[in-house]
Amino acid sequence: MTKFSSQYFDEQQYAQSGIANYELVYGRNFISPGGKETSAQFLRLLGLRSGIKVLDIGCGIGGCVFQIAADYGAYVDGIDISHNMIEIGSQRCKEQGLEDKVKLYQGDCLEREYGTTYDVVHSRDVFLHIHEKPRLFSIIRNVLAPGGLLAFTDYCRGEGPLSTKFDTYVRQREYCLHTVDEYRDLIERAGFVDVKAEDKTGYFLEINRRELNRLAARNLNTEEADDLMRGWRAKILRIQDGEQRWGWFLARNPG
Ligand SMILES: C[S@@+](CC[C@H](N)C(=O)[O-])C[C@H]1O[C@@H](n2cnc3c(N)ncnc32)[C@H](O)[C@@H]1O
């Protein structure tokens, strides 16, 4: 299995059982911090309008895509490397009757022939999986219309040397994390303008504590739930240590 192939994601972090577990914490259709509520909050920053075209990179099982289409009337294409995600997302899309506004595609965002341009490229907590950031941002500039908006959130890391524990966590997950300032530089170097890079770690901590408390209150008493809670407690400690951080990023394609 090649590192970062669809098989890698489908059989490791985003196996069907893994997706179901993540939904237990994030809520139906979401695999990113804060679920529906945080997604709605982030989307309010984007000035979305009816009829515009949005690309969601790493759309998962479609939570953000459905929200963009249903709440704003935008046309949304979602792409995700995981077959599992697209299979579940396509089913949920049908259930919600959003097929006229939403199209979901399986594929690697770095390899896809997009064949169109978008007014907005949106992504929630996906780029941590992508090691070739200059290539990623260059592809996004090419698919964005002139003046189009790039909007994403992502896991980041703290400044300074990292503890062995944090380094081991990042290596085990094969993540590629940056500090918020490094991310700003990468985005600017790719030629984007009006770059806003905000460290949202305080909010991230609040969200993770809330998610852990909600899960604990359900008293599921299953091995999966216990594993999840262990994972969330470890994440909260990494955040409190200042090593795991969270960034929100907005940038414009010039033109
Ligand atoms: C943490 S999940 C976020 C899912 C979704 N954005 C959400 O908010 O619910 C990360 C997603 O990125 C996808 N992904 C990772 N690398 C990718 C790539 N190169 N191209 C497309 N999708 C990718 C994974 O399969 C996974 O669904």
Side-chain angles (χ1 to χ4, degrees), residues 14 31-32 58-60 80-82 85 107-109 124-126 129:
Y14 305 122
I31 316 283
S32 54
C59 60
D80 200 287
I81 198 166
S82 152
M85 294 283 188
D108 183 341
C109 66
R124 287 291 316 279
D125 303 282
V126 173
H129 290 297

Side-chain angles (χ1 to χ4, degrees), residues 144-187:
L144 264 180
L149 179 72
L150 165 64
F152 69 97
T153 69
D154 205 17
Y155 282 23
C156 292
R157 64 171 178 78
E159 307 278 345
L162 302 173
S163 66
T164 312
K165 201 163 127 202
F166 187 78
D167 195 45
T168 306
Y169 152 76
V170 173
R171 279 172 198 275
Q172 274 171 352
R173 298 288 181 111
E174 315 262 15
Y175 288 165
C176 172
L177 305 186
H178 305 278
T179 66
V180 172
D181 285 344
E182 278 169 4
Y183 242 137
R184 179 201 300 276
D185 284 352
L186 281 161
I187 300 165

Side-chain angles (χ1 to χ4, degrees), residues 91-106:
Q91 185 56 42
R92 305 264 174 100
C93 181
K94 252 188 233 156
E95 285 165 18
Q96 300 190 46
L98 284 170
E99 292 141 295
D100 57 332
K101 284 265 161 57
V102 168
K103 301 273 174 287
L104 301 181
Y105 302 95
Q106 185 280 323

Side-chain angles (χ1 to χ4, degrees), residues 4 9-10 13-14 19 22 26 29-33 39 56-64 79-83 85 105 107-111 114 122-130 136 155 175:
F4 313 122
F9 288 104
D10 283 329
Q13 192 170 359
Y14 305 122
I19 295 173
Y22 278 130
Y26 294 127
N29 297 338
F30 286 88
I31 316 283
S32 54
S39 172
D56 188 23
I57 295 183
C59 60
I61 52 177
C64 304
I79 178 167
D80 200 287
I81 198 166
S82 152
H83 290 88
M85 294 283 188
Y105 302 95
D108 183 341
C109 66
L110 298 176
E111 303 299 335
Y114 290 92
H122 168 272
S123 183
R124 287 291 316 279
D125 303 282
V126 173
F127 297 166
L128 72 170
H129 290 297
I130 297 175
L136 170 70
Y155 282 23
Y175 288 165

